[in-house]
């Protein structure tokens, strides 16, 4: 990619913003050096890297490279034999430790983060380096006594020597015979040796070496002769300590140099991870998404059919949904939709000055570069882009009507450079094509340049003010009009891009709104050719028709969303009914099991009594034998139920579809009635909606029958099925009149819901409520039978009612 065009489309400004999210200098350098790639797989890998970094940030609640430093210069210095300072050695240790921690975090999620895991695998923790640096240097960047036995011994001796020296000096300054000669009774240092302040007037009264004088000359700082040997010893030990510390630091530096290759590799891997995390943070803050990157398409059958010698689609794809220029204020920027189809790959954008034409060009170019650099783009999900080998732009920021020849020459030079380098895998962006010179000649040049680009199959977006180019775009295969809209009420651009319609000049309308006398406007209109006025009127009509079509499409989408919502309600209701049916079946199974157990127990009791009666008689009456045989047969015929089979669902009828048939619409999950039939499609009435669906998406539920009254489609669409009242009604505590009213309502609801039975809990008490309930049940048209509750069901305080529809 030519860096000139990266600058024109302002990619470096984006990279500077991304670099602000970097944690250390090496990552920042990688970001600023980032360039788009023309390799599809590499671009996809970079996008995957950003996607995984976003996942890592979200799953870990924030991941940073805090504490990491670019220690490669220190490694180079150590390799040349230099000694690294303690603070720099701590930077090496912290970098290796943070790398070890980050590697552990990422490799634990290697299945979800394969690209980042591959980068993290290059991190070398070098644990012996971090351990040795940590053993020798504390967090205050001081070499500790434990760094070596020799250093520990020197520092012990150094402490003893210092204590002896200070003790000697303190006795000297506090002795009465010497204190009178001192300016003050304290010990200080000059030139690395301990001294005392002697009054200049008493020079020589205390023998010693003068190391300094005060600014006034009234005080001499002397080292008494009595402490020279102690001072010398203390100083010698200091020098020995410095030498030992240097020896330790040199050893640590040598260790860093030995592991320099691994440390450098770790820093480079951390820089790549810093780049990925910075891209993720930028994407998060700008609400950017991952675009789908696709290869150039091979010619489809439709494209081959439409191809002419002058029009062959290059196979490029641009589909940007609600794209936003990332350098504009997110609160005020107007999103645009930009897309190419199989019918065109050159887009000519027209519209008023400052209407957003140039911003539209820059948005497409910049987002393409960002995608190929591995950055997510500020657009909506579903955006798709091809990976171009080159992106070229001739965009001028000047919007003045006074275009000079030098400006035109500059534009022509850029366009010539673009034409010499671009190919059918390139994206070309041309701003104000044909401007800056005579309008007639400029328009002719613009049309010729666009025709050249069409013949060479180069994807192009161009802006212009030329009316001739609107006609050219409409009449030329492979070229399409687009426009930025203008609000005549506010006399301001809307910045919205509309593809398929050329921009209107709006000159007469704007002049009228600004107050130009009407007679002047009318005279100007008279100077325009009738064809021009007719074209403008036609454009206005087309715009109105387009807006109406968009409104109708939005209404259709709203209706579809409503239908989908109703279908979801139906699915939820059906699931609830199924649960209730299961509960009823389980209750019925349990009740049947208890009843059969009671029957068998009774049979066993009768058999026992029969056996006792037989044992008491010598002669076996034939009637008893017959009774015993009957009991055995009855027991055989009353086995415990292993399962209760649900009511059998009617088989789905076969045969061709016809108008009036009830069908299941698989895509919506609802039932409807066919109102119209075509070759491959059918129109199905679903409630108040008419749905067009493919025949293979419909399942026949029942054929049309004039004698069978089907449920109304509206009931099926809305899911307004009779709700289940539950299998139990509790009347305890109610008066008889209120209780009987509830019984009647509950039986109606249970019958409509298809319940097999209900349990009415009335309690025992005085028995008045029980008798009233059973009296009502005795003649109720919905009741097939009823019985008192068994033991375990509530006994005589419960009445079990079996409904007639079961």
């Amino acid at each position: 990619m030519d860096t000139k065009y990266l600058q024109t489309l302002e990619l470096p400004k984006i990279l500077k913003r991304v670099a602000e999210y970097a944690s250390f200098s090496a990552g920042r350098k990688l970001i600023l050096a980032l360039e788009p790639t023309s390799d599809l797989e590499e671009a996809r890998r970079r996008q995957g890297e950003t996607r995984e970094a976003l996942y890592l940030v979200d799953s870990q609640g924030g991941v940073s490279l805090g504490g990491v430093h670019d220690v490669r210069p220190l490694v180079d210095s150590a390799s040349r034999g230099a000694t690294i300072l303690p603070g720099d050695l701590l930077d090496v240790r912290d970098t290796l430790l943070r790398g070890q921690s980050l590697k552990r975090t990422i490799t634990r999620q290697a299945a979800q983060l394969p690209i980042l895991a591959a980068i993290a695998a290059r991190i070398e923790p070098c644990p012996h380096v971090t351990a040795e640096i940590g053993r020798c240097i504390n967090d205050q960047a001081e070499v500790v006594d434990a760094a070596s036995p020799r250093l520990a011994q020197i520092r012990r001796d150094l402490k003893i020597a210092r204590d002896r020296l200070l003790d000697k000096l303190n006795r000297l300054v506090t002795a009465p015979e010497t204190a009178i000669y001192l300016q003050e009774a304290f010990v200080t240092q000059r030139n690395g040796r301990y001294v005392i302040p002697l009054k200049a007037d008493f020079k020589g009264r205390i023998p010693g070496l003068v190391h300094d004088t005060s600014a006034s000359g009234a005080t001499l700082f002397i080292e008494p002769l009595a402490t020279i040997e102690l001072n010398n010893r203390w100083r010698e030990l200091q020098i020995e300590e410095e030498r030992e510390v240097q020896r330790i630091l040199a050893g640590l530096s040598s260790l860093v140099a030995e592991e320099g290759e691994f440390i450098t590799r770790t820093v480079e891997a951390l820089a790549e991870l810093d780049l990925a995390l910075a891209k993720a943070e930028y994407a998060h803050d700008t609400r950017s998404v991952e675009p789908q990157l696709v290869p150039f398409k091979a010619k489809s059958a439709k494209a081959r059919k439409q191809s002419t010698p002058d029009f062959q689609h290059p196979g490029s794809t641009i589909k940007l949904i609600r794209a936003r220029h990332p350098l504009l204020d997110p609160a005020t920027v107007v999103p645009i939709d930009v897309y190419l189809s199989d019918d065109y790959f050159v887009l000519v954008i027209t519209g008023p000055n400052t209407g957003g034409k140039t911003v539209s060009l820059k948005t497409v170019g910049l987002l393409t570069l960002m995608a190929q650099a591995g950055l997510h783009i500020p657009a909506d999900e579903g955006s798709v882009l091809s990976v171009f080998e080159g992106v070229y732009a001739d965009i001028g920021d000047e919007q003045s009507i006074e275009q000079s020849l030098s400006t035109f020459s500059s534009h022509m030079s850029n366009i010539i450079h673009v034409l010499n380098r671009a190919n059918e895998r390139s994206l070309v962006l041309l701003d104000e094509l044909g401007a800056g010179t005579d309008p007639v000649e400029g328009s002719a040049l613009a049309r010729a340049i666009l025709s050249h680009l069409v013949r060479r199959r180069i994807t192009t977006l161009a802006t212009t003010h030329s009316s001739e180019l609107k006609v050219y775009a409409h009449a030329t295969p492979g070229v399409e009009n687009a426009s930025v809209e203008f609000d005549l009420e506010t006399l301001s651009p809307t910045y919205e891009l509309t593809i398929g319609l050329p921009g209107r000049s709006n000159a007469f309308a704007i002049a009228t709104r600004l107050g130009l006398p009407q007679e002047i406007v009318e005279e100007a209109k008279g100077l325009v050719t009738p064809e021009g006025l007719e074209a403008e009127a036609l454009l206005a009509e087309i715009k109105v028709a387009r807006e109406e079509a968009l409104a109708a499409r939005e209404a259709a989408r709203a209706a579809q969303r409503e239908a989908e919502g109703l279908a979801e309600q139906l699915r939820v209701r059906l699931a609830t009914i199924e649960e209730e049916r299961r509960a009823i079946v389980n209750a019925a199974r349990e009740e049947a099991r208890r009843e059969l157990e009671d029957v068998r127990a009774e049979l066993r009791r009768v058999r026992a009594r029969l056996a006792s009666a037989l044992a008491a008689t010598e002669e076996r009456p034939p009637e008893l034998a017959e009774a015993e045989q009957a009991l055995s047969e009855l027991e055989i015929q009353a086995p415990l139920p292993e399962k209760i089979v649900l009511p059998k669902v009617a088989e789905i009828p076969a045969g061709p579809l016809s108008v009036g048939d009830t069908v299941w619409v698989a895509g919506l999950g609802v039932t409807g009635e066919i109102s119209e039939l075509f070759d491959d499609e059918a129109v199905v009435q679903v409630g108040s909606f008419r749905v067009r669906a493919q025949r293979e998406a419909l399942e026949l539920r029942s054929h049309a029958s004039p004698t069978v009254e089907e449920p109304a489609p509206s009931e099926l669409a809305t899911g307004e099925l009779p709700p289940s009242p539950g299998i139990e009604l509790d009347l305890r505590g109610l008066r008889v009149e209120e209780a009987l009213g509830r019984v009647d309502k509950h039986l109606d609801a249970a019958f409509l819901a298809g319940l097999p039975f209900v349990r009415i809990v009335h309690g025992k008490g005085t028995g008045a409520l029980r008798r009233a309930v059973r009296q009502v049940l005795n003649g109720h048209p919905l009741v097939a039978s009823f019985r008192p509750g068994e033991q375990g069901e509530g006994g005589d305080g419960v009445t079990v009612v079996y409904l007639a529809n079961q």
Side-chain angles (χ1 to χ4, degrees), residues 370-442:
M370 290 174 64
Q372 294 182 209
L375 296 170
H376 286 186
I377 61 174
D380 282 5
E381 294 284 353
S383 296
V384 186
L385 289 168
S386 292
V387 173
F388 295 94
E389 292 181 1
V391 178
Y392 303 94
D394 175 51
I395 298 177
D397 291 330
E398 294 186 11
Q399 300 291 331
S400 171
I401 61 172
E402 297 176 355
Q403 300 277 341
S404 66
L405 180 61
S406 60
T407 301
F408 175 75
S409 300
S410 174
H411 280 296
M412 275 298 111
S413 298
N414 287 337
I415 291 173
I416 292 169
H417 184 263
V418 168
L419 295 178
N420 288 335
R421 299 194 58 180
N423 59 34
E424 64 183 35
R425 299 269 172 137
S426 300
L427 172 63
V428 173
L429 308 170
L430 302 175
D431 190 29
E432 299 295 352
L433 186 60
T437 187
D438 178 77
V440 176
E441 294 181 355

Side-chain angles (χ1 to χ4, degrees), residues 508 511 515-527:
F508 296 144
L516 187 68
Q518 188 62 35
E519 60 270 17
I520 298 178
V521 175
E522 292 300 326
E523 182 179 352
K525 287 182 179 180
L527 298 175

Side-chain angles (χ1 to χ4, degrees), residues 69-228:
H69 305 272
D70 185 3
V71 296
R72 289 174 295 182
L74 300 178
V75 172
D76 291 341
S77 297
S79 300
R80 293 193 297 269
T83 299
I84 305 176
L85 297 176
D88 294 335
L89 286 169
L90 286 182
D91 288 346
V92 174
R93 182 201 66 176
D94 293 345
T95 300
L96 293 174
L97 289 177
R98 188 70 189 99
Q100 180 181 9
S101 172
L102 195 58
K103 180 178 182 179
R104 198 162 46 240
T105 299
I106 294 174
T107 51
R108 277 201 301 263
Q109 304 180 71
Q112 295 82 18
L113 311 172
I115 299 175
L116 296 186
I119 298 174
R122 298 180 359 231
I123 295 176
E124 299 287 347
C126 301
H128 58 294
V129 176
T130 58
E132 187 63 13
I133 294 175
R135 186 185 69 83
C136 297
I137 303 174
N138 61 21
D139 291 339
Q140 288 73 43
E142 299 168 339
V143 179
V144 298
D145 296 353
S148 74
R150 173 65 179 159
L151 181 62
Q153 182 61 49
I154 291 173
R155 286 183 173 171
R156 284 194 296 269
D157 294 344
L158 187 62
K159 184 177 183 303
I160 294 172
R162 179 176 178 277
D163 290 345
R164 288 177 178 173
L165 173 59
L166 291 178
D167 182 63
K168 180 73 172 177
L169 289 171
N170 285 328
R171 289 200 305 270
L172 188 62
V173 298
T174 57
E177 60 273 16
T178 56
I180 58 175
Y181 305 128
L182 300 178
Q183 198 70 263
E184 293 181 66
F186 68 88
V187 177
T188 186
Q189 284 192 42
R190 288 294 186 274
N191 301 323
R193 299 182 74 88
Y194 282 105
V195 295
I196 58 176
L198 179 68
K199 295 178 181 178
D201 296 339
F202 297 104
K203 182 179 179 181
R205 296 297 181 94
I206 300 177
L209 302 177
V210 177
H211 286 279
D212 198 6
T213 60
S214 64
S216 63
T219 303
L220 303 176
F221 295 96
I222 69 167
E223 179 184 357
L225 293 178
T227 62
I228 287 179

Side-chain angles (χ1 to χ4, degrees), residues 5-19:
Y5 302 111
L6 304 186
Q7 293 281 350
T8 300
L9 294 171
E10 301 178 299
L11 180 63
K13 292 183 180 179
I14 300 298
L15 297 180
K16 285 182 180 179
R17 293 193 177 188
V18 178

Side-chain angles (χ1 to χ4, degrees), residues 606-618:
V606 172
R607 186 184 292 277
R609 290 197 299 271
L610 179 62
S612 299
L614 289 174
T617 61
E618 296 180 359

